Amino acid sequence: MEKKGWDGFEIGAMLRSFDGATQDIATTLPENRPYSQSNSFTASVADWRIEKPLFNKEYCIDCQFCWIYCPDMSIISRDKKMVGIDFDHCKGCGICVQVCPTNPKSLLMFPEQKDEEAALAEWPKKEKKADAEVKED
Amino acid sequence: MSEMKKIKNLKEFSTSADRFEGANLLCPGCAHSIIVREVLNATNDDLILAASTGCLEVCTAVYPYTSWDASWIHIGFENGSSAVAGAEAMYKALKTKGRLKQPDRTPKFVAFGGDGATYDIGFQWISGCFERGHNMMYVCLDNEVYANTGGQRSSSTPIGASATTTPAGRVSYGEKRNKKDMMAIMAAHGAPYVAQVAPNKWKDMVAKIQKGFEAEGPVYINAMSACTTEWKFAPEDTIAISDLATDSLVFPLYEIIDGTKLNITYRPKNIIPVRDYLGAQGRFKHLFTKQNEYLIDEWQARIDKQWDYLQRREEASV
Ligand SMILES: Cc1ncc(C[n+]2csc(CCOP(=O)(O)OP(=O)(O)O)c2C)c(N)n1
Ligand code: SF4
Ligand code: SF4
Ligand code: SF4
Ligand SMILES: [Mg+2]
């Protein structure tokens, strides 16, 4: 049997996030990364959601508030533009909807099973702007 | 030194490629994750990270998965700080001996710990790291409670909060002691940089993280982490609650340089009453009764006094 060096532990002792070369991963977007099977990126928490956020591009001003405040890296922004939601990793918290400043909002929560086209068709035209009001528990 | 990443505005920041991954098991709306993203995305340099036991560690290293796209180590509850300090000391030694394969890379050494790990159980280890002067950053994810084990009070839990070991009820209004002043304690170590941050003020936070990375020596960051589960508010309100915290000055944003110079970095345009912050969270619900209402006035007086003190220190440049 081949002897293992210090860097040859089994999965469980050391979880490898990538396979292959990983230099400068900080400037490599997810679509170009060599994710290993032990990276949680390859898993999904989609079944945590009861409601999901849907995105209406028409009203979006690309402010990126949703990107910075999403706890789950689930707002996909490319070249300074908001392009969509990563539904494998979105937990349906609703923060992105709360922080979206447009009127009407460019993100809204819908039941998980809602059809996207139907949601876009019935998108509110103009909401009464809710000011930073916080729900009492 | 490698060049600091340029982050002029949020659009530019949004081109960052996160090195923290989804499908971790943190609660929906958890602020720990927002803080980690802002810290990690503040640099493109290599990262050498550690986490003490707590929500962040438990939820991001669940066998067979890791959520970290960087070197990451976990040992125990008390020693995230020393784990990173050990790696930093080894790095320095290898560099001195000329044994680094890529000596031009400038890795950042960062340890994360909850308030339980920081204010209480890992305190002496952090103090040791700061006394020895390691070139590292320690980030406390301050949610004012031992969240991962079900909400026990820590020395960061503020007066009047109901925690599972200081529950509010007929005879008690909850936690009786005031929050420990970790900022002052860490500044007293003579650390080059100590700062309080909040994830809702992302620009202030990222600027402070970058300042911390530039500083030579141990850096302490106290990051307010609103916890939807233990503070008892709806997950979508994490940023709104954080805004109430910074705008009521319950969490003032400031920095202390070399232990001797304090700067306030955020002055709310409209300071809101502390009552609004307390009233938005279930953990303070019992304060809004006839018998406990006096505690809300005491809260306000305490926060006013703290703000006055910070302003006087800033003015005197000490
Ligand atoms: C020495 C030791 N004591 C107790 C525990 C149990 N324990 C694990 S996580 C945790 C709470 C962590 O609280 P905190 O540091 O505030 O982090 P949070 O979960 O709130 O983010 C406790 C008490 C432990 N793992 N090790
Ligand atoms: S917060 Fe709203 S307006 Fe801003 S980028 Fe996101 S969807 Fe667009
Ligand atoms: S609902 Fe929460 S997890 Fe999903 S995209 Fe919005 S902020 Fe991110
Ligand atoms: S209990 Fe609080 S700190 Fe822990 S994962 Fe949930 S929201 Fe985050
Ligand atoms: Mg805690």
Side-chain angles (χ1 to χ4, degrees):
Chain A
M1 211 180 86
E2 207 190 318
K3 259 196 185 165
K4 286 193 196 298
W6 70 272
D7 56 350
F9 289 112
E10 298 292 347
I11 284 180
M14 183 155 70
L15 303 177
R16 294 185 175 283
S17 41
F18 298 111
D19 296 324
T22 58
Q23 186 143 331
D24 300 319
I25 206 76
T27 52
T28 309
L29 290 167
E31 51 270 33
N32 301 320
R33 289 176 171 181
Y35 285 109
S36 85
Q37 282 185 354
S38 53
N39 194 307
S40 69
F41 183 83
T42 62
S44 172
V45 284
D47 58 0
W48 287 28
R49 284 193 307 271
I50 301 160
E51 289 191 312
K52 63 181 173 188
L54 288 176
F55 174 50
N56 190 333
K57 214 173 156 158
E58 196 181 327
Y59 302 108
C60 176
I61 54 170
D62 293 309
C63 67
Q64 303 300 339
F65 287 170
C66 55
W67 176 81
I68 184 82
Y69 297 129
C70 172
D72 287 288
M73 292 62 70
S74 297
I75 297 292
I76 307 169
S77 291
R78 295 290 179 267
D79 299 324
K80 306 184 182 177
K81 297 240 177 308
M82 154 62 167
V83 295
I85 294 149
D86 170 354
F87 284 114
D88 284 334
H89 301 120
C90 166
K91 292 171 185 162
C93 67
I95 289 178
C96 54
V97 171
Q98 287 295 311
V99 299
C100 181
T102 60
N103 188 8
K105 284 186 183 286
S106 313
L107 285 159
L108 287 173
M109 296 306 279
F110 290 92
E112 181 62 23
Q113 64 278 11
K114 182 82 181 180
D115 177 65
E116 187 173 355
E117 251 175 65
L120 289 174
E122 66 195 50
W123 207 269
K125 284 289 168 272
K126 196 163 179 136
E127 278 183 335
K128 200 173 153 273
K129 208 158 189 155
D131 34 21
E133 178 192 285
V134 178
K135 259 192 223 138
E136 302 224 353
D137 160 271
Chain B
M1 270 303 257
S2 71
E3 248 180 57
M4 197 51 73
K5 179 170 169 180
K6 287 196 179 63
I7 304 165
K8 278 203 305 283
N9 52 44
L10 193 46
K11 284 191 189 207
E12 191 169 7
F13 199 29
S14 76
T15 61
S16 304
D18 280 291
R19 281 182 279 179
F20 183 61
E21 297 291 356
N24 57 60
L25 303 187
L26 294 160
C27 299
C30 177
H32 280 6
S33 180
I34 308 174
I35 295 163
V36 168
R37 291 189 61 217
E38 291 181 16
V39 172
L40 268 49
N41 283 331
T43 180
N44 282 339
D45 283 340
D46 301 318
L47 292 165
I48 294 161
L49 309 172
S52 294
T53 314
C55 282
L56 181 71
E57 171 269 327
V58 164
C59 298
T60 61
V62 186
Y63 187 80
Y65 295 116
T66 175
S67 302
W68 300 91
D69 302 341
S71 304
W72 183 88
I73 185 171
H74 162 68
I75 303 174
F77 196 169
E78 60 287 346
N79 52 18
S81 55
S82 340
V84 146
E88 188 268 348
M90 184 183 79
Y91 182 85
K92 239 187 228 159
L94 292 176
K95 191 164 188 163
T96 312
K97 291 180 178 168
R99 283 171 56 192
L100 289 177
K101 288 198 182 121
Q102 302 179 62
D104 299 336
R105 294 177 86 91
T106 49
K108 304 290 182 269
F109 296 85
V110 185
F112 291 98
D115 51 292
T118 307
Y119 286 63
D120 300 341
I121 295 179
F123 181 68
Q124 64 162 323
W125 306 62
I126 300 167
S127 184
C129 289
F130 276 60
E131 189 234 316
R132 292 189 300 273
H134 292 280
N135 194 20
M136 60 178 276
M137 177 181 286
Y138 187 91
V139 181
C140 173
L141 304 164
D142 190 359
N143 58 10
E144 304 188 322
V145 74
Y146 287 77
N148 190 60
T149 38
Q152 297 80 12
R153 60 84 63 186
S154 77
S155 58
S156 172
T157 306
I159 291 183
S162 185
T164 50
T165 46
T166 53
R170 246 182 312 122
V171 291
S172 171
Y173 56 77
E175 172 61 42
K176 298 269 184 319
R177 281 176 283 271
N178 202 10
K179 187 181 168 88
K180 194 194 258 183
D181 188 353
M182 264 309 270
M183 287 285 289
I185 294 168
M186 296 321 292
H189 283 73
Y193 194 66
V194 168
Q196 181 145 280
V197 302
N200 53 315
K201 299 291 171 202
W202 72 269
K203 206 168 187 177
D204 177 80
M205 172 152 170
V206 169
K208 285 172 175 162
I209 299 299
Q210 292 199 328
K211 259 194 194 177
F213 283 151
E214 266 178 342
E216 206 38 64
V219 167
Y220 179 77
I221 302 289
N222 203 65
M224 177 193 61
S225 187
C227 170
T228 156
T229 304
E230 296 301 339
W231 295 15
K232 301 189 169 50
F233 59 83
E236 70 260 30
D237 289 333
T238 300
I239 296 301
I241 294 286
S242 306
D243 284 342
L244 290 173
T246 49
D247 287 2
S248 63
L249 298 170
V250 170
F251 273 90
L253 302 182
Y254 63 102
E255 59 187 13
I256 305 170
I257 295 161
D258 293 329
T260 50
K261 188 176 183 316
L262 187 147
N263 301 317
I264 293 168
T265 59
Y266 172 66
R267 289 168 190 282
K269 274 196 210 85
N270 300 306
I271 298 175
I272 60 156
V274 171
R275 163 183 284 273
D276 295 0
Y277 169 73
L278 301 175
Q281 303 166 61
R283 64 174 171 156
F284 295 117
K285 205 159 111 190
H286 55 282
L287 298 185
F288 292 79
T289 55
K290 246 206 178 83
Q291 77 183 59
N292 288 337
E293 200 129 35
Y294 74 98
L295 287 160
I296 300 175
D297 298 331
E298 284 184 15
W299 252 97
Q300 186 67 58
R302 202 164 46 245
I303 297 302
D304 289 348
K305 200 170 148 197
Q306 171 185 263
W307 184 236
D308 183 55
Y309 170 72
L310 292 175
Q311 293 197 97
R312 277 190 286 126
R313 270 193 67 176
E314 185 185 54
E315 218 178 286
S317 198
V318 292

